[in-house]
Amino acid sequence: KKSGGMNMIGQFGVGFYSSFLVADKVRVVSKTPSEPVQHVWESANGDSSFQIAVDPRGNTLGRGTEITLFLKEDAREYADARRLNDLATHYSEFVTHPIHVRTTETVMVEKEKEADETID
């Protein structure tokens, strides 16, 4: 596990660093086809350092980059998939690589009663 104290704005650019306007912590997982393992970069808002390590989950991406923002309480509007998709579409108009917003849904299902349960 490596730690760095480099100037993060110079390392990643103002656009990436601006993610800390809405996030307490940022995690970037990246896998290039030329490397056998994927790596995790992580930093907390306000820290002047970051950590880089081999991803303990293994090669979950195959290739590409996954960015996870741990949102601040006052930035929860960015957890809305429609809002995030609209922003990504608007601000990536000239980006040549596709940007995908991955969403998940949790559905609560009532537990079925056993056939031998009696209802009083």
Side-chain angles (χ1 to χ4, degrees):
K1 187 174 190 176
K2 295 181 183 178
S3 271
M6 292 182 233
N7 178 329
M8 286 198 297
I9 293 176
Q11 178 78 13
F12 298 104
V14 174
F16 174 79
Y17 192 70
S18 66
S19 62
F20 288 108
L21 293 171
V22 297
D24 287 323
K25 182 170 75 171
V26 176
R27 179 182 301 141
V28 178
V29 178
S30 190
K31 170 70 174 80
T32 177
S34 62
E35 291 289 324
V37 296
Q38 69 186 33
H39 290 87
V40 178
W41 176 97
E42 193 169 282
S43 184
N45 193 357
D47 283 357
S48 60
S49 64
F50 56 89
Q51 295 79 42
I52 300 174
V54 172
D55 192 335
R57 302 173 302 166
N59 183 4
T60 60
L61 295 177
R63 68 180 289 172
T65 302
E66 172 186 82
I67 301 171
T68 304
L69 303 178
F70 297 83
L71 295 176
K72 296 177 180 179
E73 284 299 322
D74 63 350
R76 294 292 178 198
E77 71 178 278
Y78 299 106
D80 178 67
R82 183 178 299 130
R83 171 93 167 115
L84 189 57
N85 199 42
D86 290 346
L87 287 168
T89 301
H90 178 79
Y91 289 104
S92 66
E93 183 178 353
F94 300 106
V95 175
T96 57
H97 300 288
I99 295 176
H100 304 282
V101 177
R102 181 173 45 184
T103 60
T104 59
E105 182 178 350
T106 302
V107 178
M108 300 298 283
V109 179
E110 282 190 41
K111 184 177 175 182
E112 292 184 22
K113 296 186 185 228
E114 297 289 325
D116 61 341
E117 275 187 35
T118 58
I119 300 174
D120 293 330

